[in-house]
Structures are given as structure tokens and as C-alpha cells.
Amino acid sequence: MIRTAQLLVFGLLYLAVFVFSLLALIDAARRPSQAFVAAGKRTKGFWVGVTGACTAVSFAAMPPLGAPLGFLVLIAAVGAIVYLVDVRPALGSGPRRPGPRRSGGW
């Protein structure tokens, strides 16, 4: 019973790391290369590589594959969190599409 609960908790944690890594990968891939340079961060290729590796490791560790990659999943979580907490905010909101202009008054 306790073992089942532990496996469930670890499975949910691995799933969360996978989702965060995937979100970081998608965000890094969609950003223009110039945004990374302008923000004073490493290159786009570097961050796509880091978040891609994080996504691959966290995917391989999820059940039912369940490869014994516990320590690597921790490193993958750190890589994804660094991107999401430090790099992504520094990049800003990115290029915006022009929307309809509104007048200031009635």
C-alpha cells in the first residue's frame, strides 16, 4: 500500500517535470534568436538543447518506462526551472502581433 502511494507520488512528480520541460522547450523554440542575445542570455541553440535534453530525460523516466533516472530527472527539473524562471522573463513578451487600435475616448 505504501509502495503504491510512493510510486504514484514519484509518477506525478516525473509527469510535472516532463510538462515543465516540454513547456520550456516549446517556449525556447518559438522565441527569435535575437531575443536571447538582446537579453544577455546564452544563445537560442543552447537553451533549445538544454530544454530538449531535459524533456527527453524526463520522458524516459516516466512510468511505464520507469528507467532508473531519478538523479537525472532532478537535473532536468533544474534546467527547465532555470529557463522558466530566469531566461524566459528576461526575454520579455516577445514580438507582438499588431491588434486593432482603440481610440482613447468615446
Side-chain angles (χ1 to χ4, degrees):
M1 174 117 149
I2 291 177
R3 178 168 167 70
T4 304
Q6 287 176 331
L7 290 174
L8 180 64
V9 168
F10 276 110
L12 291 174
L13 288 174
Y14 287 173
L15 179 64
V17 171
F18 173 70
V19 169
F20 284 131
S21 299
L22 186 62
L23 290 174
L25 175 63
I26 291 170
D27 186 74
R30 294 182 68 195
R31 300 284 180 154
S33 299
Q34 298 82 10
F36 291 87
V37 175
K41 300 296 178 183
R42 305 281 305 244
T43 64
K44 176 180 180 173
F46 174 82
W47 284 109
V48 168
V50 167
T51 56
C54 294
T55 304
V57 166
S58 59
F59 179 76
M62 281 193 324
L65 296 175
L69 301 172
F71 186 71
L72 292 178
V73 171
L74 180 61
I75 295 172
V78 169
I81 290 170
V82 165
Y83 177 81
L84 291 172
V85 173
D86 181 43
V87 177
R88 185 173 182 242
L91 298 177
S93 60
R96 296 180 188 224
R97 280 188 267 163
R101 296 197 155 235
R102 295 184 181 184
S103 62
W106 289 83

